[in-house]
Amino acid sequence: MNLEELKKIREKAQRDLQLRQKQARIRIVVGMGTSGIAAGAREVLKTFLEEIGRRGLTDVVVTQTGEKGLASREPIVEVYEENKPVIIYGNINSEKAKRIVVEHVVNGNPVTEFAIEAI
Amino acid sequence: MMEELSFHIMDMVINSIEAEAKHIEVEIVEDDISNTLTILIRDDGKGIKEGEKIMDDRFITTKKGKTVGLGIPLLKGTAETCGGSFSLKSNNPKGIEIRASFEKNHPDLPPLGNLKDTFLILIGANPDVDFSFTVKKGGHEFVLDTAKIKEQLEELPINHPEVMDFLKKYMEEYL
């Protein structure tokens, strides 16, 4: 296994990349401040990256932020979608993250039982 | 104390990203002769301005819900508890350099933990940042420089699922 293999991946991926150059539809932001990390946010961020990648959702961006000021409800996840309220989820773990991907990101229905705020 | 040293690394790197760093180096060195483990983080971010307060472990901020800078004293505390030392200095020409060392087989030293996940997640969630990860242990040296990988990829994003899968396997094999 070496970096040369990246060239093959690039050539193959570029072909379908051209077909799906879209604007980000949804942005998922995981709170990864010190307390978030201590509360298990790394697993949550990992799950989102894996689930979004596995489903080939190229119009979804997964990223992190520093402290969110909601330390008691960490791990915190915010979902931003154009023309819709921002949904803030609290006490998220890997299993809940999977449900958010299926129900909210794919099917468009926020998982109200995990939501702590909608702005 | 964090459960794993890799959580501290993640915490420090996220501080760097918050400080708008575009190039972040992480170096982990295990030295059997001096019985030390050293973690070095170097960035080109905004740095810490004079007068800006890093929280000390003797007090907590009164600002509601704010815990900015808590990670640094936490790491410093772990280093000092585990027979090591901690330093934070400005990096030339900009950014900071954090160095935390530990006595390698100190009984209180948390395990390094999952470095593969840590590196992979940082790359995946921050495709625009260049990372250079180096791990030296047991006579073996692992280096992952995302700038070099991006050269191979041209315009294909580094967090494309197939590239991420490659990086995961690459680390499983070499790290």
Side-chain angles (χ1 to χ4, degrees):
Chain A
M1 167 158 258
N2 61 63
L3 297 185
E4 289 295 302
E5 288 173 45
L6 288 169
K7 209 177 147 190
K8 278 182 234 150
I9 295 174
R10 183 190 77 209
E11 282 161 1
K12 180 175 171 287
Q14 263 166 349
R15 270 172 262 141
D16 44 71
L17 196 67
Q18 282 158 353
L19 303 173
R20 46 179 200 193
Q21 283 285 12
K22 288 182 274 187
Q23 275 294 98
R25 177 177 64 90
I26 291 186
R27 203 156 58 90
I28 301 170
V29 182
V30 180
M32 292 284 288
T34 307
S35 54
I37 294 170
R42 188 179 73 185
E43 260 331 280
V44 174
L45 182 52
K46 183 186 172 193
T47 304
F48 278 116
L49 284 168
E50 284 177 351
E51 290 295 307
I52 298 303
R54 199 168 59 83
R55 291 163 193 274
L57 302 173
T58 49
D59 55 350
V60 179
V61 171
V62 180
T63 188
Q64 92 283 309
T65 182
E67 297 295 338
K68 294 312 293 177
L70 285 160
S72 62
R73 308 296 290 273
E74 260 160 331
I76 299 277
V77 174
E78 297 166 323
V79 179
Y80 294 82
E81 200 172 351
E82 218 170 309
N83 303 321
K84 286 190 184 168
V86 181
I87 307 293
I88 303 174
Y89 292 108
N91 301 109
I92 296 306
N93 57 27
S94 192
E95 286 311 304
K96 290 178 181 173
K98 284 179 190 164
R99 270 192 61 191
I100 292 170
V101 171
V102 174
E103 294 177 32
H104 188 166
V105 177
V106 176
N107 293 325
N109 304 313
V111 191
T112 46
E113 56 180 297
F114 307 152
I116 51 176
E117 224 176 322
I119 304 166
Chain B
M1 215 179 253
M2 292 269 199
E3 281 169 50
E4 296 179 6
L5 291 175
S6 68
F7 287 148
H8 282 293
I9 294 168
M10 185 137 217
D11 193 18
M12 295 301 110
V13 172
I14 287 165
N15 280 348
S16 297
I17 295 166
E18 295 276 293
E20 292 164 22
K22 288 290 157 217
H23 185 250
I24 304 170
E25 289 169 45
V26 177
E27 200 176 314
I28 298 154
V29 182
E30 270 192 28
D31 186 342
D32 294 332
I33 297 162
S34 62
N35 187 33
T36 54
L37 171 68
T38 305
I39 296 172
L40 191 76
I41 292 139
R42 216 180 273 128
D43 75 33
D44 63 350
K46 287 188 295 189
I48 293 166
K49 288 181 203 79
E50 220 164 309
E52 220 170 359
K53 212 187 283 173
I54 296 170
M55 264 179 44
D56 197 280
D57 47 4
R58 286 168 299 185
F59 61 89
I60 54 161
T61 179
T62 50
K63 235 186 214 173
K64 201 182 163 203
K66 274 235 169 184
T67 50
V68 175
L70 181 65
I72 288 172
L74 208 59
L75 176 57
K76 183 170 182 270
T78 303
E80 288 167 355
T81 306
C82 300
S85 62
F86 177 90
S87 71
L88 192 166
K89 60 176 189 178
S90 289
N91 186 18
N92 258 334
K94 60 173 193 161
I96 57 162
E97 182 183 299
I98 289 171
R99 182 186 292 266
S101 72
F102 316 85
E103 196 180 302
K104 201 167 69 90
N105 42 22
H106 194 283
D108 294 330
L109 186 68
L112 258 175
N114 197 334
L115 292 176
K116 294 183 192 83
D117 275 5
T118 303
F119 297 163
L120 203 62
I121 291 164
L122 285 168
I123 295 169
N126 304 281
D128 299 329
V129 176
D130 282 334
F131 295 102
S132 165
F133 299 118
T134 305
V135 181
K136 293 179 192 168
K137 60 194 274 191
H140 174 77
E141 182 173 328
F142 170 85
V143 181
L144 184 69
D145 185 343
T146 61
K148 286 213 181 91
I149 289 165
K150 286 174 191 172
E151 274 171 31
Q152 302 275 334
L153 293 173
E154 295 175 8
E155 70 269 41
L156 183 68
I158 194 162
N159 59 354
H160 184 279
E162 287 187 43
V163 181
M164 291 294 283
D165 193 49
F166 169 85
L167 293 175
K168 188 178 172 208
K169 288 180 183 146
Y170 187 80
M171 283 197 269
E172 276 164 5
E173 190 168 336
Y174 297 109
L175 178 58

